[in-house]
Amino acid sequence: MSENSSSATKKISTYLTMIVLIVLALSMVALISSVNLMVEGNEIAAGYLLIIGLIAMALSLYVMIQSRRRIAEMKIEAPKVMTTIECRKCGFKSLREFQRGDFVFKELEPCQKCNEKMMITAIYKEVREREKTFAF
Amino acid sequence: MLAVLPALTGQLGGAGDSISQILSILFYVIFIVFLFYGQRIQMYVMIREVEGSLYKLKYIKDEGRRIAIETIKELGKPQTDPSARVDRYLDYFTITPQSMDPAGIVYKLDHILDVRDTRLKDEVKLMAPASDEVQINNLENTLEAAMALNYIYKVVRHYYIQGKKTLSLYIIMQLQMILPLVMKEAEAYASALKAFAYGQPIGDGVGPLVAAKLMHGYETRKVPKDCVVAEVPLEGRTALVMKAEGPGGNVGKPGDAIKAVIDENKGKIAAVIMIDAGLKLEGEMVGEVAEGVGAAIGGPGVDQFKIEEALVDYHIPIYAVIVKEDIGDAVSPMRKEISDSVDRVIERVKSVILERTKEGDKVIIFGVGNTIGIGQ
């Protein structure tokens, strides 16, 4: 069920890419034709084709960038989660990436400094605030 | 290009009449089209927008299902492929009790929720036979997040198809208007999935984290249901610190637990202090600590009802300390700001105890929330 649905999503993006590529190819043709017409001296027709070609190219590139952005937005980001390990006796602290099985107040291997058992005291993710700031 | 422009403008002067005629006809055509079909065009734009969000929801839902199945396979070592069972689980529903005569509805709802919880836990045990109790709780939470995503996707799809079928602007418009909030919630559940699968503490766990910090090093005992309590000396008083039993994903039943402890002490409790994560308003800072009165607990309301009932019987005052966070922070791995707020919460709890109780009194401190990734 899931494989079918995800392939359907991919099919649509391939379809879109195909249309974009066709428009891009046509815009290239229009640009080349405009150059040919200009060489032949038909400047008005060359001008029209140049404008059409440029607009088509800009639109197709815009659609392509937009669809790529949508795919990038679809990814589920897994934030980096850190585990703080502390020695309650000597206060030695270390920070490492979270490992499956970690939990707060779990006892770990002995401390490098005083040989007392160390403990996980915090597990958290750090978020870089990208929020807009407002006057209020 | 520069050479072409004068030629073009020169020609436009000559053929100006025909071009301006074409442009004015084009203008009238566009005006008439918008006059009659403006609303329909607007609707198609909205449908496109909803369609884009629906693709994203579908992707998130499928990812949720995939993560749940992978985690079950990894932790539970099932003999057969659990995919079919997971699909069945994702469509599981709960019918709330009839409320025409609301008397006694809380206990009916409580019973239904108990049946649901037992049924889902048994289902997880069948899917992942090699898992221990902690892993089963975490898997249950993972599947519940996947279930929520599945439901959100189906509801949005329902209104999208209904809107397209009926071509009703109002159905599509309502959907499009609430979509940003729906997407925010779906994204929150998506980030919760991995946290549950790995057993990482989530923002909602700030209450249990405070309680765990207070009770750590003291003897704990179990109280019904799925909760633990420890007697901790605090500022000359005896604090009965309680939380759901960790480190598996579990919220316990605070209503039953508080009632049991109050009854054990024959109502001789000077105050109940509840610590929970509270939804912040836009503009407030994550990890801000606020204080108030009342039972700080979310969920369907059963536990809040039971706590309030037990407190009224013995006239016990109830205070609340909350840590502000938004829905996304509450169900995704705990943010540093929330983790750092724990010491400030403890200070606030101590000041409440000093101001509102006398030396030698007994107080209940309950850390409400999901205790995933937090021991005691």
Side-chain angles (χ1 to χ4, degrees), chain B residues 268-284:
Chain B
K268 285 176 185 150
I269 300 288
V272 173
I273 303 168
M274 298 186 77
I275 305 149
D276 197 6
L279 273 188
K280 79 174 184 76
L281 298 172
E282 290 295 344
E284 289 183 315

Side-chain angles (χ1 to χ4, degrees), chain B residues 310-331:
Chain B
L311 297 177
V312 167
D313 286 348
Y314 296 104
H315 299 285
I316 303 167
I318 182 163
Y319 306 106
V321 178
I322 59 161
V323 178
K324 303 272 182 81
E325 50 194 87
D326 71 19
I327 177 77
D329 299 323
V331 294

